[in-house]
């Protein structure tokens, strides 16, 4: 080759090398919604400044079959890249490049936007042959109007994906991600990608050596994105990939995959650290401010900066302030943010603080990430105004925009509950119950049409709900109670128990006659009480049983009535009092209102073995907190107090079956209004019953041992009286058996009559041990338990045939027959001569072939015969065939068998 030719070849090779020079260190793709299905897509790459493969343009693929050639948009204009920018130098041989294209997607769908470029920079330790590996980054966009994602912008990453670490020191990083739409973000580590978006073959995490050894820990906080690598071992460059997923209302709506490079060198300094910082919540309209302090134990100067949604004017206005701090080894700066209504959103704002030292060899950094949640102000000026049996709740409209409505909560006492500093809405532990919603600033609480109860202190709080689902802090409480403009029922007390002459005393208190309750000028007399009654707890048809009238309120003094001729033995009764007045138009019998319904206390008794189970129920507007159970004393002929409980059930034990016992229950309760007399005492009817053992005992636990040789099964089981399960009167057992599994059991034996301690049984005198067993326990009242555990046991069938017999009439071995056998029902044997003709067949398991041909009845000649035998064995699963095949020698005389 001539010298000139060699020069041309070298020039050509150098040109190819320059065109494919490696340069890509890190990068990501983000997008911003413009309108409709149009988005602005930005590719950001970080490259080596000294590489010859600088990209003035890059191709962006939109995932819908379309692409664009995007020019570099950042940096000064350059003749070599005209009309595009030349990127921005970050120092340390790093150039930041941005490329932007707008694109209209065809409609709803999932689109993965990507960019690939030859090649990565060489020498990346955890990427094999990185110098020849294509650099590939990808971001996925989901356009789904049903998820409300048609106008979504991707997260923005504020901290560059290039950082330094030291061997033997923890490395820290945070991508500084925020979401402009307030969506929730999660973070996880994934594999770096190569051409076509495939994971790089042989890629490994930085803390995994080429030999697969784990060298230190590498963690990523899935909620904050904080990365910690403790501790790098080998000097060099490493790449990791962080997948930032975006969630809305529990649905994944997109992701950004960032490819990041970490340069590890040898150095002796330690990263800076922070004084403790905590997440915080603030009500919109107030100032959130707190100091941030970082320090360096190596006494290097520290630079303190911050990024995050509140610090960006593109996210919030007004934005937060945080002055960059620089100075000595300890530096502080103040984060300050005047929050307003537009800052309210469901997800917190993420703020990432970065501390960087100025170590002479390799500066190191540390990050502290916190969440700031801006909560809508609580509804103000909540009031609760009684109106009849309802409460009208009003409040002032929330000053923030985007209000979807309000939630109204109620508690049946004037509660002192206060929400915590970050508790949005109402905690389930508060004792408040959601009773309704409203799109206005008013709500009428009538207890779902049943009316509220007089004498109860009601407490209300209100919460604002916004269009994105976020909730405000709970309002201050508003307490109120219904006015006493109608009677209040206080007693429904059973005086006499009888099926036809029972009596119940009903009592009530009068309305309060004053301008704040019953205004007797607006509602003059005559006045009237109408006592109404229905049968049972759930009766709806009330009958008027008595009327009390008076022309003047002062003389309306009837506040009790003894109701008679009732069947109090077998049913409860429910009452209410309707109140009627006149009015200023002299219209008589104007219905003013009613008491709440109130029932008698009704006792039920369930007999059991040596005990009685008492339970009772009542439906009353006051709250019963205690119950006293009384038991009739036959010696003194009075009811004695037996016990007190807050429950509505009691079990009286240690009783004698068949003997009658009588009881009644006293309820003790009150309204929450201290102006109503208390305690309220009411008795149930008297109820008698006798203990009766209808409860079956517990089932025994069965075990079995079988013996195939002696042909018996030995059953043994536990005594339920000793099991601690409540059984104490088992007197005998029943044993059930079936010879074939999955078939009905039959009673085998009723053992140990009145001897519960005999818990074993020998099943012998049987031809087969195959079978299934269960045992039940019988108590002294002939109650039978459920079956014990089922145990099945199988035979060990035996059937073998000899290989020679001598039918020579000497009385020894004259018949071909089996060796001693067991558990065989029958057989099907066929014996063939050497030409395949059947000379003998039978179904008798004893066979007893005498050596004669079945057709000619003549003795067969000496020789070898072949047989097939189907043995039908008796098994627990039924009759199961087993096939035997073999040869036998027939010998009629002494010596060798004759040839055939």
């Amino acid at each position: 080759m001539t010298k000139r030719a060699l020069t041309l070849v070298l020039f050509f090779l150098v040109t190819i090398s320059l065109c494919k020079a490696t340069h890509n260190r890190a990068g990501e793709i983000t997008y911003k919604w413009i309108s409709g299905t149009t988005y602005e897509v930005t590719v950001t790459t970080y490259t080596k400044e000294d590489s010859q493969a600088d990209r003035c343009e890059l191709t962006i693929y939109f995932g819908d079959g379309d692409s664009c050639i995007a020019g570099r948009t950042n940096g000064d204009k350059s003749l070599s890249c005209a009309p595009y920018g030349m990127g921005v130098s970050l120092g340390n041989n790093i150039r930041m490049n941005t490329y932007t294209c707008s694109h209209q997607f065809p409609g709803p769908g999932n689109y993965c936007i990507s960019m690939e470029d030859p090649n990565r920079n060489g020498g990346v330790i955890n990427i094999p042959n990185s110098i020849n590996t294509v650099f590939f980054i990808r971001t996925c966009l989901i356009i789904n109007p049903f998820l409300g994602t048609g106008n979504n912008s991707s997260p923005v990453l504020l901290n560059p994906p290039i950082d330094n670490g030291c061997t033997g020191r923890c490395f820290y990083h945070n991508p500084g991600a925020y979401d402009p739409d307030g969506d929730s973000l999660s973070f996880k580590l994934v594999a770096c990608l190569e051409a076509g978006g495939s994971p790089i073959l042989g890629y490994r995490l930085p803390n995994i050596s080429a030999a697969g050894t784990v060298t230190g820990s590498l963690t990523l906080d899935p909620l904050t994105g904080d990365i910690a690598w403790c501790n790098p071992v080998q000097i060099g460059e490493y790449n990791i990939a962080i997948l930032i997923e975006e969630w809305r209302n529990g649905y994944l709506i997109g992701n950004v995959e960032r490819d990041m490079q970490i340069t590890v060198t040898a150095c002796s300094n330690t990263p800076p650290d922070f004084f403790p910082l905590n997440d915080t919540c603030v009500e919109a309209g107030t100032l959130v401010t707190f100091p941030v302090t970082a320090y360096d134990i190596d006494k290097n100067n520290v630079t303190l900066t911050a990024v995050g949604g509140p610090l960006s004017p593109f996210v919030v206005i007004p934005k937060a302030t945080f002055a960059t701090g620089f100075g000595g080894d300890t530096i502080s700066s103040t984060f300050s943010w005047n929050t307003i209504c537009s800052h309210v959103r469901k997800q917190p704002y993420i703020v990432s603080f970065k501390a960087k030292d100025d170590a002479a060899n390799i500066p190191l950094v540390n990050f502290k990430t916190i969440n700031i949640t801006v909560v809508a102000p609580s509804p103000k000026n909540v009031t609760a105004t009684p109106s009849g049996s309802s409460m009208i709740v009003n409040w002032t409209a929330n000053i923030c925009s985007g209000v979807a409505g309000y939630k109204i909560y109620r508690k049946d006492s004037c509660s002192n509950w206060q929400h915590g500093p970050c508790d949005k809405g109402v905690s389930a532990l508060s004792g408040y119950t959601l009773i309704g919603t409203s799109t206005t600033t008013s709500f009428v609480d009538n207890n779902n049409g049943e009316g509220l109860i007089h004498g109860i202190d009601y407490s209300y709080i209100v919460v604002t709900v916004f269009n994105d689902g976020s909730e405000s802090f709970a309002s201050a409480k508003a307490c109120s109670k219904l006015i006493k403009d109608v009677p209040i029922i206080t007693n429904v007390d059973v005086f006499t128990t009888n099926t036809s002459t029972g009596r119940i005393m009903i009592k009530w208190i009068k309305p309060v006659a004053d301008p704040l309750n019953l205004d007797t000028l607006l509602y003059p007399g005559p006045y009237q009480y109408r006592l109404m009654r229905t049968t049972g707890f759930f009766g709806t048809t009330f009958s008027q049983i008595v009327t009390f009238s008076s022309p003047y309120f002062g003389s309306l003094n009837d506040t009790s009535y003894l109701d008679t001729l009732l069947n109090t033995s077998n049913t409860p009764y429910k009452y209410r009092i309707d109140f009627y007045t006149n009015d200023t138009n002299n219209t008589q019998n104007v219905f003013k209102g009613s008491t709440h319904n109130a029932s008698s206390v009704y006792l039920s008794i369930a007999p059991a073995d040596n005990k009685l189970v008492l339970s009772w129920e009542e439906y009353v507007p006051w709250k019963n907190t205690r119950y006293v159970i009384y038991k009739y004393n036959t010696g003194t002929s009075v009811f004695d107090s037996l016990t007190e409980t807050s429950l509505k059930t009691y079990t009286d034990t240690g009783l004698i079956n068949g003997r009658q016992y009588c009881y009644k229950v006293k309820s003790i309760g009150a309204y929450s209004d201290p102006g109503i007399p208390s305690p309220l005492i009411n008795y149930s009817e008297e109820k008698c019953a006798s203990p009766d053992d209808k409860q079956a005992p517990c089932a025994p636990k069965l075990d079995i041992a079988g013996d195939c040789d002696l042909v018996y099964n030995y059953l043994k089981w536990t005594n339920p009286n000793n099991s601690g399960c409540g059984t104490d009167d088992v007197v005998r057992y029943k044993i059930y058996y079936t010879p074939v599994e999955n078939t009905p059991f039959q009673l085998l034996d009723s053992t140990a009559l009145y001897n519960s301690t005999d818990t074993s049984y020998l099943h012998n005198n049987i031809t087969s041990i195959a079978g299934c067993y269960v045992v039940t326990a019988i108590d002294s009242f002939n109650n039978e338990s459920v079956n014990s555990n089922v145990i099945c046991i199988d035979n060990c069938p035996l059937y073998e045939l000899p290989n020679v017999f001598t039918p020579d009439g000497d009385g020894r071995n004259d018949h071909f027959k089996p060796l001693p056998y067991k558990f065989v029902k029958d057989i099907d044997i066929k014996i063939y001569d050497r030409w395949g003709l059947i000379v003998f067949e039978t179904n008798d398991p004893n066979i007893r072939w005498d050596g004669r041909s079945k057709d000619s009845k003549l003795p067969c000649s000496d020789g070898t015969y072949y047989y097939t035998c189907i043995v039908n064995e008796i098994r627990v699963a039924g009759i199961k065939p087993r096939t035997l095949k073999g040869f036998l020698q027939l010998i009629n005389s002494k010596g060798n068998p004759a040839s055939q």
Side-chain angles (χ1 to χ4, degrees), residues 32 89 94 147 175 189 213 270 321 397 550 565 567 574 620 653 878:
K32 179 181 178 182
S89 174
I94 301 168
L147 299 180
L189 291 171
T213 303
T270 301
T321 60
S550 174
L565 303 178
N567 180 7
K574 187 167 60 176
V620 295
T653 59

Side-chain angles (χ1 to χ4, degrees), residues 821-835:
Y821 64 88
K822 294 178 182 179
F823 312 127
V824 173
K825 176 179 178 290
D826 55 31
I827 66 168
D828 183 5
I829 188 170
K830 292 179 172 59
I831 302 175
Y832 302 86
D833 64 16
R834 62 186 300 178
W835 292 282

